Amino acid sequence: MQKRFLSLMVMLLVAGAASAEVKLPSIFSSHMVLQRELPIAVWGTADAGEKVTVTLGKDSKTTAADAKGHWRVDLPARPASDTPAVLSVEGANKVTFDDVLVGEVWVCSGQSNMEFRVAQSTGGEKAIADSNHPMLRIFDVPRHITALEPQADAPGAWAVSSPDAVKGFTAVGYYFGLDLMEKLHVPIGLIGTNWGGTPAEAWTRYSALESESSLKPLLANWKKQQAGYDPAKAKKAYEDAMVKWKEAAAKAKAAGKGAPRQPGMQGEPSLNSHYPAAIYNGMLAPIIPYTIRGAIWYQGESNCSRAYQYRTIFSTMIKSWREDWSIDGNKDFPFYFVQIAPYSYGAPTADKPQYLPELWDAQTYAYTHLPNVGFAVTTDVATTNNIHPPNKQPVGERLARWALAKTYGWTDLVYTGPILDKVQFKDGKAIVHYLAGSAKGLKTADGKAPDNFVIAGADQKFVPAEAKIAGDTVIVWSDQVKDPKAVRFAPMNISTPNLFNAEGLPASPFRTDDWPQITQNSN
């Protein structure tokens, strides 16, 4: 009896000790980089009412866990430092993180072209071999985490840049961070959170999507799928499909042919990677509110067929991220994205139009309507028969140009290729004016006249146009259009224009006519 009593007491003591542990999410680990010059958010859990003290060097703050056991402190802003420091968190127990640096922290997010690894990229083998950079640190959120509600944590740990660490990391993110490290000479922390084939609505907080009336049909469609989901029926349908597949595979093998694609079982719709907010909840919420400088983004392919709707979704996503981080002194944190690369998407038909020009326009809509947003053009590094162009280094470096010029004050740096300012119609011609500085030294890559311009009159019938460079402008015309009213540049999915500025940065696609609204699908 006494032995049983002592065993019970030990169990209770162990349970009590476990419940009293101070815990932090995985985004806090040794080798992390903390954001300089902004308040440093540190948070976690403990027993309700438990006092928690967070210490970094000479800075220390104490708070108490709330009724649900949550606590947070914001340490004072501090300058960059490549001297390893210790971050400690102490309550009933003590948690210590070593080799902590202070510098610049960026989130690198999107779908497969952001997920595209250093090892897969052009020149990746050399980049990996040269990747021992003590001042560059990475944190990679595990892929394929979805949830109906925002999650408090996702597994992972910070790693110092090395061949083993970077080979599987986002190539665009790595080249972006490497360029910043070499130019700024401060520690750089990169948080990779990306998932191939995913739409922007999956990366957006649900309540933010709900606030947009035009997105209600999208949400309603998913709710309908969720309500009608029957696991037993899904399993039965899968088993029946597998029987037929095995028969077809056997026949194909006997004929010396490859087997048809194996069927998969329909899963719970709310855990689908396309479900609104599913990835936000699983792969973004766990790192909020870790103090960051900004975010880079490469996505849009999965929203191409709903390009007009993307105007709303993409802008809503950016605004929701900024609201959720709510960084003091950095409310509208920098958000730089990639204008996705040309790709064929199959031959255009009446039911399958030229998606990309519309999506490019939807992406630039965010640039023109939101503060502190910029974009990198990739029309010159495309592989039009491959949706995943492997040459990612120029992409990362072009995003870094935006950050260096607009975030870090490198005012003399040309950070973008030509971006449309306005078009003047005069004497049967269209004069294309670009934003100041973006078109300095206009040239073509092949020495020929600028290509990929089309022009139309009031009838909106676009025809190929002739064009010539005149200083920092381009004059566009066609003998078939006597009184032009609209111009488009890069009007096709596979448009790879030859127009650049003196820095070798490509001109951005544009249109001046009203939006035709031909891809307003609701889901």
Side-chain angles (χ1 to χ4, degrees):
M1 183 70 178
Q2 185 178 12
K3 187 175 181 179
R4 288 180 60 193
F5 176 78
L6 288 174
S7 298
L8 179 61
M9 288 299 294
V10 169
M11 290 174 63
L12 289 172
L13 286 171
V14 170
S19 66
E21 281 189 356
V22 170
K23 293 183 179 179
L24 289 83
S26 299
I27 191 66
F28 294 96
S29 77
S30 294
H31 313 302
M32 66 183 143
V33 178
L34 300 174
Q35 177 61 47
R36 66 170 170 168
E37 299 169 353
L38 290 171
I40 300 168
V42 183
W43 73 96
T45 58
D47 270 356
E50 183 176 342
K51 287 187 177 181
V52 178
T53 300
V54 181
T55 303
L56 177 64
K58 296 179 180 179
D59 295 323
S60 185
K61 277 197 173 183
T62 299
T63 188
D66 64 19
K68 293 184 178 180
H70 301 296
W71 57 266
R72 171 179 169 172
V73 303
D74 289 346
L75 295 174
R78 54 174 52 212
S81 174
D82 59 3
T83 302
V86 174
L87 176 70
S88 66
V89 182
E90 188 169 7
N93 61 306
K94 187 174 183 178
V95 182
T96 301
F97 305 110
D98 301 315
D99 188 29
V100 177
L101 306 184
V102 181
E104 292 295 310
V105 182
W106 288 80
V107 170
C108 313
S109 189
Q111 60 177 111
S112 54
N113 272 302
M114 182 61 85
E115 187 178 43
F116 200 91
R117 298 171 175 84
V118 175
Q120 300 170 282
S121 68
T122 302
E125 186 174 343
K126 185 178 186 306
I128 292 168
D130 296 340
S131 64
N132 288 305
H133 302 295
M135 287 207 305
L136 181 61
R137 313 290 177 86
I138 62 176
F139 184 99
D140 212 1
V141 178
R143 296 156 182 80
H144 308 147
I145 302 176
T146 60
L148 265 178
E149 299 295 334
Q151 300 299 293
D153 196 13
W158 284 89
V160 179
S161 178
S162 69
D164 283 342
V166 308
K167 64 184 179 182
F169 194 68
T170 160
V172 169
Y174 175 73
Y175 293 124
F176 167 81
L178 182 64
D179 204 41
L180 291 188
M181 184 198 73
E182 292 174 343
K183 300 281 197 314
L184 299 176
H185 306 292
V186 300
I188 301 295
L190 303 173
I191 303 172
T193 177
N194 37 73
W195 187 342
T198 54
E201 59 266 27
W203 292 93
T204 308
R205 174 170 34 86
Y206 199 90
S207 60
L209 296 169
E210 281 185 310
S211 69
E212 294 291 337
S213 59
S214 65
L215 300 181
K216 291 189 183 302
L218 169 70
L219 303 183
N221 178 63
W222 277 104
K223 286 183 177 178
K224 182 179 179 181
Q225 291 185 46
Q226 186 179 359
Y229 176 68
D230 185 327
K233 287 184 179 179
K235 183 179 179 181
K236 179 66 167 57
Y238 168 71
E239 291 171 346
D240 292 345
M242 279 298 294
V243 170
K244 294 180 180 178
W245 177 81
K246 289 176 180 178
E247 293 174 355
K251 289 180 181 178
K253 184 178 180 180
K257 299 179 181 180
R261 188 172 182 176
Q262 185 173 335
M265 187 169 71
Q266 180 191 5
E268 165 63 47
S270 64
L271 299 180
N272 188 298
S273 63
H274 284 226
Y275 195 86
I279 306 177
Y280 169 90
N281 291 333
M283 295 180 61
L284 198 71
I287 63 174
I288 298 174
Y290 195 87
T291 307
I292 63 171
R293 177 64 71 190
I296 59 172
W297 175 259
Y298 195 157
Q299 188 273 341
E301 297 88 347
S302 289
N303 288 93
C304 263
S305 63
R306 297 177 283 127
Y308 185 76
Q309 187 188 67
Y310 193 71
R311 276 185 168 198
T312 301
I313 294 174
F314 188 37
S315 295
T316 300
M317 188 199 82
I318 296 171
K319 289 186 286 187
S320 75
W321 285 24
R322 287 172 167 175
E323 290 167 0
D324 296 345
W325 252 286
S326 298
I327 303 167
D328 289 341
N330 198 27
K331 297 292 186 184
D332 288 325
F333 63 72
F335 191 100
Y336 303 130
F337 66 87
V338 179
Q339 198 171 58
I340 65 175
Y343 175 65
S344 64
Y345 287 96
T349 65
D351 296 326
K352 190 176 184 182
Q354 296 289 342
Y355 290 146
L356 269 184
E358 292 187 72
L359 191 89
W360 289 330
D361 198 47
Q363 289 181 311
T364 54
Y365 180 88
Y367 165 70
T368 57
H369 286 76
L370 295 177
N372 216 7
V373 171
F375 63 98
V377 180
T378 60
T379 51
D380 62 323
V381 291
T383 47
T384 56
N385 62 343
N386 181 356
I387 202 170
H388 302 119
N391 192 11
K392 300 302 188 190
Q393 186 168 356
V395 183
E397 291 177 349
R398 288 172 189 177
L399 291 169
R401 279 179 176 264
W402 276 91
L404 290 167
K406 307 300 284 185
T407 302
Y408 300 113
W410 288 38
T411 55
D412 294 333
L413 180 67
V414 177
Y415 56 89
T416 180
I419 296 177
L420 177 69
D421 181 17
K422 62 181 179 180
V423 173
Q424 177 186 10
F425 297 100
K426 183 179 180 181
D427 300 329
K429 292 181 173 62
I431 305 171
V432 180
H433 297 263
Y434 294 98
L435 293 178
S438 70
K440 187 175 181 180
L442 275 181
K443 63 180 183 180
T444 59
D446 53 12
K448 299 178 181 180
D451 58 21
N452 275 278
F453 283 95
V454 295
I455 196 167
D459 59 3
Q460 291 288 290
K461 293 181 179 179
F462 285 88
V463 298
E466 297 183 71
K468 68 177 182 179
I469 295 171
D472 290 348
T473 68
V474 174
I475 300 175
V476 183
W477 74 95
S478 171
D479 292 340
Q480 299 178 56
V481 181
K482 301 302 181 184
D483 185 18
K485 299 295 183 183
V487 177
R488 296 178 183 177
F489 175 62
M492 307 288 285
N493 288 342
I494 57 172
S495 291
T496 53
N498 64 354
L499 187 62
F500 293 77
N501 63 14
E503 291 289 315
L505 298 173
S508 173
F510 70 79
R511 68 187 306 141
T512 65
D513 54 310
D514 290 337
W515 189 267
Q517 302 182 18
I518 57 176
T519 61
Q520 290 191 79
N521 299 353
S522 64
N523 52 51

